[in-house]
Amino acid sequence: MKAVLSNAPGQPFVLKDVPEPRPGKGEVRIKVTACGICHSDMFVRDGLFPGISYPRIPGHEVVGEVDQTGEGVRDFKKGDVVGVGWHGGHCFTCPACRAGDFILCSRAQITGISTDGGYAQYMLAPEDALARVPEGMDAAEAAPLLCAGVTTYNSLRHAGALPGDIVAVLGVGGLGHLGIQFSSKMGYRTVALSNGPSKADLARSLGAHDYIDMKAANAVEVLSRMGGAKVILATAPDSQTISQLVDGLGRNGKMVLLGADTRPLQVSPLQLIGQRKSISGWPSGDAMDSEETMKFARLTGIRAMVERFPLEKAEEAYQVMIQNKARFRVVLTL
Ligand SMILES: [Zn+2]
Ligand SMILES: [Zn+2]
């Protein structure tokens, strides 16, 4: 089969013919139809993930059709349209799994990092990592929902806001353009935050009720005048801006961190104590979370904006993504 491999850290991706994988016990083989390219694929590309081995096929936003089932597979069959995200399976016995919190499994497999992913014609996945893709959903548009989508949807639905509350979404990019849509469709007063006026129209067309150009206005003042945000969904990895925005939270407001940044936040306890504010992180979600993300998106008309590239152009597509030139998710199609 054709597959795109990362042979060593820092090397360009290469297209190669490799043997087709065969499903083991509890696994299915997926005939891939689309695979998103995510910023986290740089963990493979640059060798940044502890313990990763090479060669490795990246890709954790995978959509395709089950074409073979291994021994013991019970609930999925040949022909089922499925998706696999970052969460590529769990152990069922560690403390997190025993609590049903599979995404935090201490032995979690990560698709495209600990196992081969979806930059290929076929890939394997354990049955417990499969999400059903709603009928009629475009594969390339579904793919980003398995990472960017589930991360924004799942964090938001657990963030504690009620309909009508103010949810501010920092960043109108790969995560943010989905965060705005989910927030709006969930019934929150949605405020998009970005730098410059260029994304105002787009943000409004995605469902934002208000747009704050952080270059032209003081976002903390604007949010405070509105009554303060119940949730700020920080999709842009910008620790400095996030630190400043803490003062834009209202009573019991929560800053939810999604964009991975290694730089520290600078917030004093005093900024949080008085109004019982909090700052928390959120990982993506497990297979059921992904399935619910896609169902909600289908129900409410939420769509990822994607740029499509054929598998053969994975290297070029990766460059478009990593240089921040994509509007907004890059997807390989097969
Ligand atoms: Zn991802
Ligand atoms: Zn576990």
Side-chain angles (χ1 to χ4, degrees), residues 87 89-98 101-108:
H87 185 67
H90 44 271
C91 78
F92 290 98
T93 54
C94 75
C97 283
R98 286 162 61 209
D101 201 354
F102 301 133
I103 187 70
L104 300 187
C105 172
S106 60
R107 301 185 190 95

Side-chain angles (χ1 to χ4, degrees), residues 38-304:
C38 179
H39 197 265
S40 304
D41 292 344
M42 58 104 184
F43 286 127
V44 184
R45 172 67 171 229
D46 297 335
L48 298 176
F49 211 86
I52 187 168
S53 64
Y54 293 87
R56 177 60 74 216
I57 302 172
H60 60 263
E61 298 184 352
V62 191
V63 172
E65 206 175 291
V66 173
D67 97 311
Q68 280 183 10
T69 52
E71 184 197 334
V73 170
R74 287 187 297 199
D75 290 307
F76 288 84
K77 59 180 190 319
K78 188 174 157 66
D80 286 352
V81 181
V82 295
V84 186
W86 175 264
H87 185 67
H90 44 271
C91 78
F92 290 98
T93 54
C94 75
C97 283
R98 286 162 61 209
D101 201 354
F102 301 133
I103 187 70
L104 300 187
C105 172
S106 60
R107 301 185 190 95
Q109 287 189 45
I110 302 167
T111 312
I113 289 181
S114 40
T115 57
D116 281 335
Y119 288 24
Q121 286 180 299
Y122 296 93
M123 77 164 252
L124 301 178
E127 188 181 17
D128 53 275
L130 302 179
R132 290 188 192 281
V133 178
E135 216 181 310
M137 190 175 247
D138 177 78
E141 289 183 7
L145 297 180
L146 292 148
C147 184
V150 67
T151 301
T152 46
Y153 171 78
N154 205 27
S155 59
L156 202 46
R157 68 173 171 165
H158 289 112
L162 293 172
D165 283 346
I166 294 175
V167 169
V169 179
L170 171 64
V172 187
L175 283 166
H177 90 288
L178 289 164
I180 291 167
Q181 294 183 72
F182 281 121
S183 170
S184 178
K185 293 291 187 187
M186 286 180 187
Y188 306 130
R189 178 175 176 188
T190 302
V191 184
L193 278 68
S194 191
N195 286 311
S198 66
K199 289 187 172 165
D201 288 345
L202 173 71
R204 287 203 172 87
S205 74
L206 294 169
H209 303 97
D210 298 282
Y211 178 83
I212 303 175
D213 170 3
M214 293 187 294
K215 275 192 177 149
N218 182 325
V220 168
E221 279 176 23
V222 179
L223 287 171
S224 300
R225 271 202 305 275
M226 290 177 176
K230 182 74 183 190
V231 172
I232 298 178
L233 208 57
T235 73
D238 178 352
S239 292
Q240 198 186 339
T241 303
I242 293 167
S243 302
Q244 289 160 2
L245 284 175
V246 165
D247 289 335
L249 290 167
R251 280 186 301 112
N252 299 309
K254 189 191 269 189
M255 177 72 73
V256 179
L257 308 174
L258 303 181
D261 193 346
T262 53
R263 293 164 293 182
L265 297 173
Q266 286 200 311
V267 179
S268 76
L270 266 178
Q271 286 173 275
L272 303 175
I273 293 170
Q275 296 293 308
R276 214 184 286 115
K277 297 175 187 178
S278 60
I279 301 175
S280 66
W282 190 274
S284 55
D286 60 24
M288 201 58 195
D289 294 318
S290 288
E291 190 166 312
E292 286 162 2
T293 300
M294 291 187 284
K295 263 191 192 166
F296 185 84
R298 185 75 176 147
L299 181 73
T300 56
I302 288 171
R303 292 170 66 187

